[in-house]
């Protein structure tokens, strides 16, 4: 529980993609309407982007980056879309996100990269993945009764600089491999002629 407010603080982030993510907003809003998980109550802020605004929870379409980080720090539980950047930002804060990945079959995104990334992170044990209202209710109930599920202090992530250097090295390697392949392929075709 957040000591500053004595309320259980939930932050829900749909991100900034232009596709509405009404499914997530409605699910979290329904949880807020349903009641309080403990004696001290529940407060919920939903960043809803282009989705319909919540009816029961507090809502903001977009938050400045500094406010997002401040809200993550204040939250007892962070529910978010499956965007890699958002998930990593939450992990860096020491929180364990509850992730609801956008589904392109429902018009929530252009492809399934959020679903693939979220499954990968769940398989690594870094996030809780929810696919239904029941999943979210169970994970919320667990998070409200313990601070362990909301904490992810054991996750070790490389710095953004280290990640950029690693990505650069991988790209350089792929480019070099491509040049080697083109040279080999060109010589092979010459020898057949």
């Amino acid at each position: 529980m957040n000591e500053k407010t004595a309320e259980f603080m939930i932050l829900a982030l749909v991100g900034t993609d232009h596709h509405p993510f009404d499914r997530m907003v409605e699910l979290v809003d329904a949880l807020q309407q349903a009641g309080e998980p403990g004696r001290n109550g529940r407060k919920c802020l939903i960043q809803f982007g282009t989705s319909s605004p919540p009816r029961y929870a507090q809502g903001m379409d977009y938050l400045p980056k500094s406010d997002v980080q401040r809200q993550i720090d204040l939250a007892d539980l962070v529910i978010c879309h499956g965007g890699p950047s958002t998930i990593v930002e939450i992990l860096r804060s020491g929180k364990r996100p509850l992730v609801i990945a956008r589904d392109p079959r429902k018009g929530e995104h252009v492809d399934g990269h959020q679903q693939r990334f979220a499954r990968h992170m769940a398989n690594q044990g870094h996030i809780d993945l929810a696919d239904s209202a029941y999943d979210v209710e169970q994970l919320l109930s667990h998070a409200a009764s313990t601070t362990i599920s909301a904490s992810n202090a054991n996750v070790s992530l490389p710095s953004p600089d280290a990640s950029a250097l690693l990505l650069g090295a991988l790209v350089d390697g792929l480019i070099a491999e491509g040049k080697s392949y083109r040279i080999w392929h060109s010589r092979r075709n010459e020898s057949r002629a």
Side-chain angles (χ1 to χ4, degrees):
M1 296 269 256
N2 191 316
E3 294 174 14
K4 296 174 190 161
T5 64
E7 292 178 300
F8 187 82
M9 302 285 291
I10 300 170
L11 174 64
L13 302 168
V14 303
T16 58
D17 187 83
H18 70 276
H19 295 88
F21 197 11
D22 291 332
R23 178 171 59 100
M24 182 174 151
V25 172
E26 290 167 5
L27 193 150
V28 176
D29 202 34
L31 291 172
Q32 180 64 15
Q33 177 193 19
E36 303 170 345
R39 292 188 324 235
N40 296 319
R42 174 192 301 165
K43 184 176 179 185
C44 183
L45 171 61
I46 302 174
Q47 177 271 313
F48 59 89
T50 61
S51 308
S52 298
R55 295 186 305 159
Y56 303 100
Q58 180 184 359
M60 297 203 52
D61 54 358
Y62 298 100
L63 296 167
K65 184 155 181 64
S66 60
D67 285 354
V68 170
Q69 189 57 56
R70 186 173 65 77
Q71 292 297 330
I72 289 171
D73 292 342
L74 289 172
D76 293 299
L77 177 67
V78 182
I79 302 172
C80 70
H81 64 108
S85 179
T86 301
I87 291 172
V88 168
E89 186 173 344
I90 295 164
L91 290 171
R92 283 192 194 288
S93 75
K95 304 281 170 89
R96 180 182 182 89
L98 191 165
V99 177
I100 303 169
R102 289 174 177 263
D103 187 341
R105 295 168 298 182
K106 295 177 178 167
E108 299 167 347
H109 216 315
V110 295
D111 61 28
H113 80 274
Q114 285 198 3
Q115 294 172 321
R116 289 188 302 275
F117 183 75
R119 272 194 307 272
H120 171 75
M121 294 300 282
N123 290 338
Q124 297 294 313
H126 298 309
I127 67 168
D128 291 313
L129 184 59
D131 289 323
S132 68
Y134 176 80
D135 292 344
V136 173
E137 288 170 2
Q138 293 301 307
L139 292 165
L140 177 60
S141 176
H142 181 69
S145 65
T146 178
T147 56
I148 295 171
S149 95
S151 174
N152 216 11
N154 296 334
V155 175
S156 175
L157 297 170
S159 72
D161 291 341
S163 297
L165 289 172
L166 177 59
L167 177 61
L170 289 171
V171 169
D172 288 346
L174 290 171
I175 290 170
E177 252 183 52
K179 288 179 183 175
S180 296
Y181 174 78
R182 284 192 301 276
I183 292 168
W184 171 83
H185 187 68
S186 172
R187 288 181 181 159
R188 183 172 163 224
N189 286 340
E190 287 174 6
S191 67
R192 289 184 173 176

